[in-house]
PDB file of all heavy atoms in Angstrom:
ATOM      1  N   VAL P  24       9.946  -0.695 -11.113  1.00  0.00           N
ATOM      2  CA  VAL P  24       9.306   0.317 -10.270  1.00  0.00           C
ATOM      3  C   VAL P  24      10.346   1.336  -9.800  1.00  0.00           C
ATOM      4  O   VAL P  24      10.122   2.549  -9.874  1.00  0.00           O
ATOM      5  CB  VAL P  24       8.571  -0.340  -9.077  1.00  0.00           C
ATOM      6  CG1 VAL P  24       8.166   0.686  -8.034  1.00  0.00           C
ATOM      7  CG2 VAL P  24       7.361  -1.122  -9.568  1.00  0.00           C
ATOM      8  N   VAL P  25      11.477   0.853  -9.334  1.00  0.00           N
ATOM      9  CA  VAL P  25      12.545   1.749  -8.870  1.00  0.00           C
ATOM     10  C   VAL P  25      13.010   2.651 -10.008  1.00  0.00           C
ATOM     11  O   VAL P  25      13.158   3.876  -9.829  1.00  0.00           O
ATOM     12  CB  VAL P  25      13.714   0.936  -8.266  1.00  0.00           C
ATOM     13  CG1 VAL P  25      14.928   1.818  -8.020  1.00  0.00           C
ATOM     14  CG2 VAL P  25      13.267   0.245  -6.978  1.00  0.00           C
ATOM     15  N   LYS P  26      13.215   2.078 -11.175  1.00  0.00           N
ATOM     16  CA  LYS P  26      13.651   2.867 -12.338  1.00  0.00           C
ATOM     17  C   LYS P  26      12.611   3.937 -12.683  1.00  0.00           C
ATOM     18  O   LYS P  26      12.959   5.087 -12.958  1.00  0.00           O
ATOM     19  CB  LYS P  26      13.896   1.950 -13.533  1.00  0.00           C
ATOM     20  CG  LYS P  26      14.393   2.673 -14.752  1.00  0.00           C
ATOM     21  CD  LYS P  26      14.671   1.712 -15.890  1.00  0.00           C
ATOM     22  CE  LYS P  26      15.164   2.501 -17.093  1.00  0.00           C
ATOM     23  NZ  LYS P  26      15.320   1.680 -18.280  1.00  0.00           N
ATOM     24  N   LYS P  27      11.338   3.556 -12.663  1.00  0.00           N
ATOM     25  CA  LYS P  27      10.257   4.501 -12.977  1.00  0.00           C
ATOM     26  C   LYS P  27      10.280   5.669 -11.986  1.00  0.00           C
ATOM     27  O   LYS P  27      10.145   6.828 -12.382  1.00  0.00           O
ATOM     28  CB  LYS P  27       8.913   3.776 -12.931  1.00  0.00           C
ATOM     29  CG  LYS P  27       7.731   4.602 -13.321  1.00  0.00           C
ATOM     30  CD  LYS P  27       7.525   4.526 -14.803  1.00  0.00           C
ATOM     31  CE  LYS P  27       6.228   5.169 -15.232  1.00  0.00           C
ATOM     32  NZ  LYS P  27       6.047   5.065 -16.658  1.00  0.00           N
ATOM     33  N   ILE P  28      10.440   5.363 -10.703  1.00  0.00           N
ATOM     34  CA  ILE P  28      10.497   6.402  -9.670  1.00  0.00           C
ATOM     35  C   ILE P  28      11.705   7.310  -9.905  1.00  0.00           C
ATOM     36  O   ILE P  28      11.584   8.540  -9.889  1.00  0.00           O
ATOM     37  CB  ILE P  28      10.548   5.776  -8.263  1.00  0.00           C
ATOM     38  CG1 ILE P  28       9.239   5.047  -7.948  1.00  0.00           C
ATOM     39  CG2 ILE P  28      10.850   6.836  -7.202  1.00  0.00           C
ATOM     40  CD1 ILE P  28       9.322   4.114  -6.745  1.00  0.00           C
ATOM     41  N   GLU P  29      12.859   6.706 -10.104  1.00  0.00           N
ATOM     42  CA  GLU P  29      14.095   7.480 -10.276  1.00  0.00           C
ATOM     43  C   GLU P  29      14.039   8.402 -11.485  1.00  0.00           C
ATOM     44  O   GLU P  29      14.575   9.509 -11.459  1.00  0.00           O
ATOM     45  CB  GLU P  29      15.292   6.536 -10.393  1.00  0.00           C
ATOM     46  CG  GLU P  29      15.623   5.841  -9.105  1.00  0.00           C
ATOM     47  CD  GLU P  29      16.698   4.774  -9.242  1.00  0.00           C
ATOM     48  OE1 GLU P  29      17.029   4.350 -10.377  1.00  0.00           O
ATOM     49  OE2 GLU P  29      17.213   4.348  -8.198  1.00  0.00           O
ATOM     50  N   GLU P  30      13.396   7.959 -12.567  1.00  0.00           N
ATOM     51  CA  GLU P  30      13.365   8.731 -13.810  1.00  0.00           C
ATOM     52  C   GLU P  30      12.167   9.675 -13.898  1.00  0.00           C
ATOM     53  O   GLU P  30      12.084  10.475 -14.828  1.00  0.00           O
ATOM     54  CB  GLU P  30      13.382   7.784 -15.008  1.00  0.00           C
ATOM     55  CG  GLU P  30      14.676   7.004 -15.110  1.00  0.00           C
ATOM     56  CD  GLU P  30      14.694   6.013 -16.261  1.00  0.00           C
ATOM     57  OE1 GLU P  30      13.647   5.820 -16.942  1.00  0.00           O
ATOM     58  OE2 GLU P  30      15.760   5.406 -16.482  1.00  0.00           O
ATOM     59  N   PHE P  31      11.254   9.598 -12.954  1.00  0.00           N
ATOM     60  CA  PHE P  31      10.034  10.389 -13.035  1.00  0.00           C
ATOM     61  C   PHE P  31      10.311  11.854 -12.731  1.00  0.00           C
ATOM     62  O   PHE P  31      10.939  12.188 -11.729  1.00  0.00           O
ATOM     63  CB  PHE P  31       8.973   9.845 -12.074  1.00  0.00           C
ATOM     64  CG  PHE P  31       7.629  10.476 -12.263  1.00  0.00           C
ATOM     65  CD1 PHE P  31       6.844  10.148 -13.356  1.00  0.00           C
ATOM     66  CD2 PHE P  31       7.155  11.419 -11.366  1.00  0.00           C
ATOM     67  CE1 PHE P  31       5.606  10.742 -13.545  1.00  0.00           C
ATOM     68  CE2 PHE P  31       5.924  12.017 -11.540  1.00  0.00           C
ATOM     69  CZ  PHE P  31       5.141  11.672 -12.638  1.00  0.00           C
ATOM     70  N   ASP P  32       9.809  12.720 -13.591  1.00  0.00           N
ATOM     71  CA  ASP P  32       9.963  14.161 -13.418  1.00  0.00           C
ATOM     72  C   ASP P  32       8.611  14.738 -12.994  1.00  0.00           C
ATOM     73  O   ASP P  32       7.813  15.149 -13.820  1.00  0.00           O
ATOM     74  CB  ASP P  32      10.442  14.798 -14.721  1.00  0.00           C
ATOM     75  CG  ASP P  32      10.740  16.277 -14.550  1.00  0.00           C
ATOM     76  OD1 ASP P  32      11.011  16.710 -13.413  1.00  0.00           O
ATOM     77  OD2 ASP P  32      10.683  17.006 -15.562  1.00  0.00           O
ATOM     78  N   GLY P  33       8.365  14.697 -11.716  1.00  0.00           N
ATOM     79  CA  GLY P  33       7.104  15.185 -11.179  1.00  0.00           C
ATOM     80  C   GLY P  33       7.027  14.811  -9.709  1.00  0.00           C
ATOM     81  O   GLY P  33       8.039  14.514  -9.072  1.00  0.00           O
ATOM     82  N   THR P  34       5.818  14.793  -9.188  1.00  0.00           N
ATOM     83  CA  THR P  34       5.594  14.522  -7.780  1.00  0.00           C
ATOM     84  C   THR P  34       5.298  13.042  -7.556  1.00  0.00           C
ATOM     85  O   THR P  34       4.477  12.461  -8.275  1.00  0.00           O
ATOM     86  CB  THR P  34       4.418  15.372  -7.258  1.00  0.00           C
ATOM     87  OG1 THR P  34       4.728  16.752  -7.480  1.00  0.00           O
ATOM     88  CG2 THR P  34       4.168  15.128  -5.778  1.00  0.00           C
ATOM     89  N   ILE P  35       5.959  12.463  -6.556  1.00  0.00           N
ATOM     90  CA  ILE P  35       5.762  11.057  -6.197  1.00  0.00           C
ATOM     91  C   ILE P  35       4.871  10.991  -4.957  1.00  0.00           C
ATOM     92  O   ILE P  35       5.161  11.630  -3.937  1.00  0.00           O
ATOM     93  CB  ILE P  35       7.108  10.361  -5.861  1.00  0.00           C
ATOM     94  CG1 ILE P  35       8.148  10.594  -6.948  1.00  0.00           C
ATOM     95  CG2 ILE P  35       6.879   8.889  -5.540  1.00  0.00           C
ATOM     96  CD1 ILE P  35       8.040   9.795  -8.180  1.00  0.00           C
ATOM     97  N   LEU P  36       3.816  10.204  -5.047  1.00  0.00           N
ATOM     98  CA  LEU P  36       2.956   9.905  -3.908  1.00  0.00           C
ATOM     99  C   LEU P  36       2.941   8.390  -3.751  1.00  0.00           C
ATOM    100  O   LEU P  36       2.947   7.676  -4.750  1.00  0.00           O
ATOM    101  CB  LEU P  36       1.530  10.408  -4.148  1.00  0.00           C
ATOM    102  CG  LEU P  36       1.371  11.875  -4.552  1.00  0.00           C
ATOM    103  CD1 LEU P  36      -0.098  12.185  -4.839  1.00  0.00           C
ATOM    104  CD2 LEU P  36       1.900  12.794  -3.476  1.00  0.00           C
ATOM    105  N   TYR P  37       2.927   7.905  -2.518  1.00  0.00           N
ATOM    106  CA  TYR P  37       2.885   6.455  -2.348  1.00  0.00           C
ATOM    107  C   TYR P  37       1.962   6.070  -1.209  1.00  0.00           C
ATOM    108  O   TYR P  37       1.743   6.837  -0.280  1.00  0.00           O
ATOM    109  CB  TYR P  37       4.280   5.869  -2.153  1.00  0.00           C
ATOM    110  CG  TYR P  37       4.998   6.253  -0.887  1.00  0.00           C
ATOM    111  CD1 TYR P  37       4.983   5.404   0.221  1.00  0.00           C
ATOM    112  CD2 TYR P  37       5.718   7.441  -0.788  1.00  0.00           C
ATOM    113  CE1 TYR P  37       5.663   5.737   1.389  1.00  0.00           C
ATOM    114  CE2 TYR P  37       6.389   7.779   0.364  1.00  0.00           C
ATOM    115  CZ  TYR P  37       6.363   6.930   1.451  1.00  0.00           C
ATOM    116  OH  TYR P  37       7.024   7.258   2.601  1.00  0.00           O
ATOM    117  N   THR P  38       1.403   4.871  -1.347  1.00  0.00           N
ATOM    118  CA  THR P  38       0.476   4.376  -0.334  1.00  0.00           C
ATOM    119  C   THR P  38       1.076   3.201   0.416  1.00  0.00           C
ATOM    120  O   THR P  38       1.918   2.471  -0.109  1.00  0.00           O
ATOM    121  CB  THR P  38      -0.866   3.922  -0.943  1.00  0.00           C
ATOM    122  OG1 THR P  38      -0.644   2.806  -1.797  1.00  0.00           O
ATOM    123  CG2 THR P  38      -1.540   5.048  -1.713  1.00  0.00           C
ATOM    124  N   LEU P  39       0.599   3.061   1.645  1.00  0.00           N
ATOM    125  CA  LEU P  39       0.926   1.903   2.462  1.00  0.00           C
ATOM    126  C   LEU P  39      -0.389   1.282   2.929  1.00  0.00           C
ATOM    127  O   LEU P  39      -1.169   1.924   3.648  1.00  0.00           O
ATOM    128  CB  LEU P  39       1.754   2.294   3.682  1.00  0.00           C
ATOM    129  CG  LEU P  39       3.176   2.771   3.445  1.00  0.00           C
ATOM    130  CD1 LEU P  39       3.822   3.198   4.763  1.00  0.00           C
ATOM    131  CD2 LEU P  39       4.012   1.704   2.769  1.00  0.00           C
ATOM    132  N   ASP P  40      -0.643   0.059   2.501  1.00  0.00           N
ATOM    133  CA  ASP P  40      -1.758  -0.700   3.031  1.00  0.00           C
ATOM    134  C   ASP P  40      -1.488  -0.847   4.523  1.00  0.00           C
ATOM    135  O   ASP P  40      -0.384  -1.234   4.911  1.00  0.00           O
ATOM    136  CB  ASP P  40      -1.806  -2.071   2.336  1.00  0.00           C
ATOM    137  CG  ASP P  40      -3.087  -2.825   2.581  1.00  0.00           C
ATOM    138  OD1 ASP P  40      -4.161  -2.196   2.552  1.00  0.00           O
ATOM    139  OD2 ASP P  40      -3.015  -4.046   2.778  1.00  0.00           O
ATOM    140  N   THR P  41      -2.457  -0.498   5.357  1.00  0.00           N
ATOM    141  CA  THR P  41      -2.195  -0.412   6.790  1.00  0.00           C
ATOM    142  C   THR P  41      -3.310  -1.082   7.577  1.00  0.00           C
ATOM    143  O   THR P  41      -4.466  -0.640   7.531  1.00  0.00           O
ATOM    144  CB  THR P  41      -2.065   1.062   7.220  1.00  0.00           C
ATOM    145  OG1 THR P  41      -1.018   1.669   6.448  1.00  0.00           O
ATOM    146  CG2 THR P  41      -1.737   1.176   8.693  1.00  0.00           C
ATOM    147  N   HIS P  42      -2.942  -2.155   8.271  1.00  0.00           N
ATOM    148  CA  HIS P  42      -3.898  -2.883   9.103  1.00  0.00           C
ATOM    149  C   HIS P  42      -3.411  -2.916  10.540  1.00  0.00           C
ATOM    150  O   HIS P  42      -2.239  -2.682  10.821  1.00  0.00           O
ATOM    151  CB  HIS P  42      -4.090  -4.310   8.570  1.00  0.00           C
ATOM    152  CG  HIS P  42      -4.578  -4.333   7.160  1.00  0.00           C
ATOM    153  ND1 HIS P  42      -5.824  -3.861   6.798  1.00  0.00           N
ATOM    154  CD2 HIS P  42      -3.991  -4.750   6.005  1.00  0.00           C
ATOM    155  CE1 HIS P  42      -5.983  -3.993   5.490  1.00  0.00           C
ATOM    156  NE2 HIS P  42      -4.879  -4.520   4.988  1.00  0.00           N
ATOM    157  N   MET P  43      -4.321  -3.238  11.437  1.00  0.00           N
ATOM    158  CA  MET P  43      -4.008  -3.350  12.858  1.00  0.00           C
ATOM    159  C   MET P  43      -4.029  -4.829  13.250  1.00  0.00           C
ATOM    160  O   MET P  43      -4.344  -5.698  12.443  1.00  0.00           O
ATOM    161  CB  MET P  43      -5.018  -2.550  13.692  1.00  0.00           C
ATOM    162  CG  MET P  43      -5.075  -1.074  13.350  1.00  0.00           C
ATOM    163  SD  MET P  43      -3.463  -0.283  13.525  1.00  0.00           S
ATOM    164  CE  MET P  43      -3.586   1.044  12.365  1.00  0.00           C
ATOM    165  N   GLU P  44      -3.706  -5.084  14.496  1.00  0.00           N
ATOM    166  CA  GLU P  44      -3.643  -6.460  15.010  1.00  0.00           C
ATOM    167  C   GLU P  44      -4.974  -7.201  14.868  1.00  0.00           C
ATOM    168  O   GLU P  44      -4.995  -8.421  14.784  1.00  0.00           O
ATOM    169  CB  GLU P  44      -3.197  -6.467  16.469  1.00  0.00           C
ATOM    170  CG  GLU P  44      -1.776  -5.959  16.685  1.00  0.00           C
ATOM    171  CD  GLU P  44      -0.695  -6.883  16.116  1.00  0.00           C
ATOM    172  OE1 GLU P  44      -0.951  -8.098  15.956  1.00  0.00           O
ATOM    173  OE2 GLU P  44       0.396  -6.375  15.828  1.00  0.00           O
ATOM    174  N   ASN P  45      -6.080  -6.468  14.831  1.00  0.00           N
ATOM    175  CA  ASN P  45      -7.396  -7.102  14.731  1.00  0.00           C
ATOM    176  C   ASN P  45      -7.812  -7.394  13.286  1.00  0.00           C
ATOM    177  O   ASN P  45      -8.991  -7.638  13.012  1.00  0.00           O
ATOM    178  CB  ASN P  45      -8.452  -6.204  15.388  1.00  0.00           C
ATOM    179  CG  ASN P  45      -8.709  -4.937  14.585  1.00  0.00           C
ATOM    180  OD1 ASN P  45      -7.863  -4.467  13.827  1.00  0.00           O
ATOM    181  ND2 ASN P  45      -9.889  -4.368  14.776  1.00  0.00           N
ATOM    182  N   TYR P  46      -6.881  -7.385  12.360  1.00  0.00           N
ATOM    183  CA  TYR P  46      -7.175  -7.529  10.931  1.00  0.00           C
ATOM    184  C   TYR P  46      -8.144  -8.672  10.635  1.00  0.00           C
ATOM    185  O   TYR P  46      -9.091  -8.509   9.858  1.00  0.00           O
ATOM    186  CB  TYR P  46      -5.873  -7.712  10.128  1.00  0.00           C
ATOM    187  CG  TYR P  46      -6.137  -8.074   8.688  1.00  0.00           C
ATOM    188  CD1 TYR P  46      -6.582  -7.111   7.793  1.00  0.00           C
ATOM    189  CD2 TYR P  46      -5.989  -9.375   8.225  1.00  0.00           C
ATOM    190  CE1 TYR P  46      -6.864  -7.432   6.473  1.00  0.00           C
ATOM    191  CE2 TYR P  46      -6.264  -9.707   6.912  1.00  0.00           C
ATOM    192  CZ  TYR P  46      -6.702  -8.730   6.034  1.00  0.00           C
ATOM    193  OH  TYR P  46      -6.987  -9.054   4.731  1.00  0.00           O
ATOM    194  N   LEU P  47      -7.935  -9.834  11.225  1.00  0.00           N
ATOM    195  CA  LEU P  47      -8.758 -11.005  10.894  1.00  0.00           C
ATOM    196  C   LEU P  47     -10.223 -10.836  11.288  1.00  0.00           C
ATOM    197  O   LEU P  47     -11.093 -11.563  10.791  1.00  0.00           O
ATOM    198  CB  LEU P  47      -8.173 -12.265  11.523  1.00  0.00           C
ATOM    199  CG  LEU P  47      -6.829 -12.722  10.936  1.00  0.00           C
ATOM    200  CD1 LEU P  47      -6.294 -13.910  11.707  1.00  0.00           C
ATOM    201  CD2 LEU P  47      -6.949 -13.043   9.447  1.00  0.00           C
ATOM    202  N   THR P  48     -10.535  -9.868  12.145  1.00  0.00           N
ATOM    203  CA  THR P  48     -11.927  -9.634  12.536  1.00  0.00           C
ATOM    204  C   THR P  48     -12.604  -8.582  11.656  1.00  0.00           C
ATOM    205  O   THR P  48     -13.801  -8.342  11.794  1.00  0.00           O
ATOM    206  CB  THR P  48     -12.028  -9.184  14.013  1.00  0.00           C
ATOM    207  OG1 THR P  48     -11.400  -7.906  14.142  1.00  0.00           O
ATOM    208  CG2 THR P  48     -11.371 -10.192  14.944  1.00  0.00           C
ATOM    209  N   THR P  49     -11.860  -7.963  10.739  1.00  0.00           N
ATOM    210  CA  THR P  49     -12.423  -6.942   9.855  1.00  0.00           C
ATOM    211  C   THR P  49     -13.089  -7.611   8.655  1.00  0.00           C
ATOM    212  O   THR P  49     -12.871  -8.797   8.368  1.00  0.00           O
ATOM    213  CB  THR P  49     -11.335  -5.975   9.354  1.00  0.00           C
ATOM    214  OG1 THR P  49     -10.424  -6.694   8.497  1.00  0.00           O
ATOM    215  CG2 THR P  49     -10.570  -5.332  10.513  1.00  0.00           C
ATOM    216  N   GLN P  50     -13.891  -6.840   7.940  1.00  0.00           N
ATOM    217  CA  GLN P  50     -14.541  -7.346   6.722  1.00  0.00           C
ATOM    218  C   GLN P  50     -13.500  -7.892   5.746  1.00  0.00           C
ATOM    219  O   GLN P  50     -13.651  -8.987   5.217  1.00  0.00           O
ATOM    220  CB  GLN P  50     -15.348  -6.215   6.071  1.00  0.00           C
ATOM    221  CG  GLN P  50     -16.084  -6.618   4.823  1.00  0.00           C
ATOM    222  CD  GLN P  50     -17.301  -7.469   5.113  1.00  0.00           C
ATOM    223  OE1 GLN P  50     -17.889  -7.378   6.180  1.00  0.00           O
ATOM    224  NE2 GLN P  50     -17.675  -8.308   4.185  1.00  0.00           N
ATOM    225  N   GLU P  51     -12.443  -7.135   5.512  1.00  0.00           N
ATOM    226  CA  GLU P  51     -11.392  -7.598   4.598  1.00  0.00           C
ATOM    227  C   GLU P  51     -10.743  -8.869   5.126  1.00  0.00           C
ATOM    228  O   GLU P  51     -10.513  -9.817   4.376  1.00  0.00           O
ATOM    229  CB  GLU P  51     -10.325  -6.521   4.388  1.00  0.00           C
ATOM    230  CG  GLU P  51      -9.229  -6.962   3.431  1.00  0.00           C
ATOM    231  CD  GLU P  51      -8.121  -5.949   3.237  1.00  0.00           C
ATOM    232  OE1 GLU P  51      -8.370  -4.729   3.325  1.00  0.00           O
ATOM    233  OE2 GLU P  51      -6.981  -6.395   2.985  1.00  0.00           O
ATOM    234  N   GLY P  52     -10.436  -8.889   6.416  1.00  0.00           N
ATOM    235  CA  GLY P  52      -9.784 -10.052   7.016  1.00  0.00           C
ATOM    236  C   GLY P  52     -10.624 -11.312   6.940  1.00  0.00           C
ATOM    237  O   GLY P  52     -10.097 -12.417   6.805  1.00  0.00           O
ATOM    238  N   LYS P  53     -11.921 -11.160   7.006  1.00  0.00           N
ATOM    239  CA  LYS P  53     -12.815 -12.319   6.885  1.00  0.00           C
ATOM    240  C   LYS P  53     -12.833 -12.854   5.457  1.00  0.00           C
ATOM    241  O   LYS P  53     -13.022 -14.048   5.245  1.00  0.00           O
ATOM    242  CB  LYS P  53     -14.227 -11.944   7.335  1.00  0.00           C
ATOM    243  CG  LYS P  53     -14.298 -11.698   8.836  1.00  0.00           C
ATOM    244  CD  LYS P  53     -15.659 -11.196   9.258  1.00  0.00           C
ATOM    245  CE  LYS P  53     -15.656 -10.874  10.750  1.00  0.00           C
ATOM    246  NZ  LYS P  53     -16.887 -10.231  11.189  1.00  0.00           N
ATOM    247  N   ASN P  54     -12.641 -11.960   4.488  1.00  0.00           N
ATOM    248  CA  ASN P  54     -12.629 -12.374   3.083  1.00  0.00           C
ATOM    249  C   ASN P  54     -11.245 -12.753   2.568  1.00  0.00           C
ATOM    250  O   ASN P  54     -11.129 -13.489   1.602  1.00  0.00           O
ATOM    251  CB  ASN P  54     -13.227 -11.260   2.214  1.00  0.00           C
ATOM    252  CG  ASN P  54     -14.714 -11.154   2.387  1.00  0.00           C
ATOM    253  OD1 ASN P  54     -15.454 -12.046   2.002  1.00  0.00           O
ATOM    254  ND2 ASN P  54     -15.162 -10.080   3.018  1.00  0.00           N
ATOM    255  N   LEU P  55     -10.222 -12.220   3.194  1.00  0.00           N
ATOM    256  CA  LEU P  55      -8.831 -12.527   2.854  1.00  0.00           C
ATOM    257  C   LEU P  55      -8.106 -12.816   4.166  1.00  0.00           C
ATOM    258  O   LEU P  55      -7.437 -11.946   4.726  1.00  0.00           O
ATOM    259  CB  LEU P  55      -8.170 -11.355   2.120  1.00  0.00           C
ATOM    260  CG  LEU P  55      -6.696 -11.522   1.743  1.00  0.00           C
ATOM    261  CD1 LEU P  55      -6.486 -12.678   0.782  1.00  0.00           C
ATOM    262  CD2 LEU P  55      -6.155 -10.222   1.153  1.00  0.00           C
TER     263      LEU P  55
END
């Protein structure tokens, strides 16, 4: 992944999965 980023000739966009303290009460938290 690091090599791909370093060698990429273009625009880099990245995501961060982002949860709050109440994660376990969310739909996702109940399933995972």
Side-chain angles (χ1 to χ4, degrees):
V24 167
V25 169
K26 182 178 180 186
K27 184 88 171 181
I28 294 165
E29 290 173 345
E30 295 178 354
F31 189 74
D32 185 23
T34 302
I35 309 282
L36 307 176
Y37 66 97
T38 64
L39 291 177
D40 193 42
T41 303
H42 301 294
M43 301 303 153
E44 295 292 336
N45 70 335
Y46 171 75
L47 292 176
T48 66
T49 67
Q50 181 74 27
E51 181 182 329
K53 291 174 184 173
N54 288 293
L55 178 62

